[in-house]
């Protein structure tokens, strides 16, 4: 496949992933699926906006740039027809780096949140973090330490895990585009693609 076509595939994949991350982060503002009585009852990492800014907003730019790469050759430059395309490929590497930073931020925030566990009300009606260092992950009976909101531990774990996994996939896709963009910069859009009658020559 040509580098421009491959970049388009990457761009198309990044958009639903970004939307998913934005949704997850928004849902986390509703602990257990209901509006919080007080914003201090929401886990701190939710406010770091890893899903909305990192894996969401910052991912829109690389996604749109990758999508457009296939057709992005305004007029060439210096009489060299594919030069505009090569320059676009080169710029896409910078956007891929933005994507890696954004998704990487979301991955870090989600890991910290999963490790720490959710903020919830304990039996003594204190709003606190009853877990630490992921000790609740392997001990389902300890989840009862959270009296309210209902189902907060699985809510927290499911949504932050989705953010974590999606962020890792986004980092991988952007990393692929840095390599793809490098190839596109060096040899233009369709290097390595030969007409059928030339196949087997190399
Ligand atoms: C699981 O958590 C409960 C409640 O916090 C605790 O009493 C129990 O010792 C824990 N079990 C293990 C295997 O850590």
């Amino acid at each position: 496949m040509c580098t421009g076509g491959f970049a388009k595939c990457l761009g198309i994949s990044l958009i639903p992933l970004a939307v998913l991350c934005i949704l997850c982060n928004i849902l986390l503002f509703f602990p257990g699926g209901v509006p919080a009585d007080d914003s201090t009852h929401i886990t701190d990492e939710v406010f770091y906006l890893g899903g909305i800014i990192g894996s969401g907003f910052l991912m829109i730019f690389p996604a749109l740039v990758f999508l457009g790469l296939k057709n992005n050759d305004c007029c060439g430059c210096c009489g060299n027809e594919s030069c505009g395309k090569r320059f676009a490929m080169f710029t896409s590497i910078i956007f891929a780096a933005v994507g890696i930073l954004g998704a990487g931020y979301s991955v870090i925030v989600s890991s910290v949140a999963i490790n720490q566990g959710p903020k919830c009300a304990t039996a003594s009606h204190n709003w606190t973090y009853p877990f630490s260092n992921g000790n609740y992950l392997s001990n389902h009976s300890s989840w009862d330490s959270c009296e309210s909101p209902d189902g907060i531990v699985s809510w927290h774990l499911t949504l932050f895990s989705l953010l974590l996994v999606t962020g890792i996939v986004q980092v991988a896709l952007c990393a692929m585009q840095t390599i793809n963009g490098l190839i596109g910069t060096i040899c233009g859009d369709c290097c390595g693609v030969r007409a059928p009658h030339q196949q087997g020559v190399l």
Side-chain angles (χ1 to χ4, degrees), residues 101-189:
L101 285 179
Y105 172 69
S106 178
V107 166
I108 292 169
V109 171
S110 315
S111 315
V112 171
I114 290 172
N115 186 53
Q116 178 194 47
K119 191 185 247 185
C120 64
T122 57
S124 53
H125 301 291
N126 277 331
W127 284 84
T128 177
Y129 296 94
F131 313 116
S132 62
N133 296 324
N135 61 357
Y136 66 104
L137 293 170
S138 55
N139 185 351
H140 206 290
S141 53
S142 71
W143 292 17
D144 297 337
S145 317
C146 279
E147 294 239 307
S148 88
D150 277 343
I152 180 64
V153 183
S154 45
W155 184 264
H156 177 92
L157 199 54
T158 308
L159 291 169
F160 273 116
S161 302
L162 263 172
L163 281 177
L164 178 67
V165 172
T166 313
I168 292 172
V169 173
Q170 288 173 324
V171 168
L173 293 178
C174 288
M176 282 183 208
Q177 177 55 24
T178 58
I179 298 167
N180 184 47
L182 210 55
I183 296 173
T185 307
I186 294 169
C187 41
D189 189 25

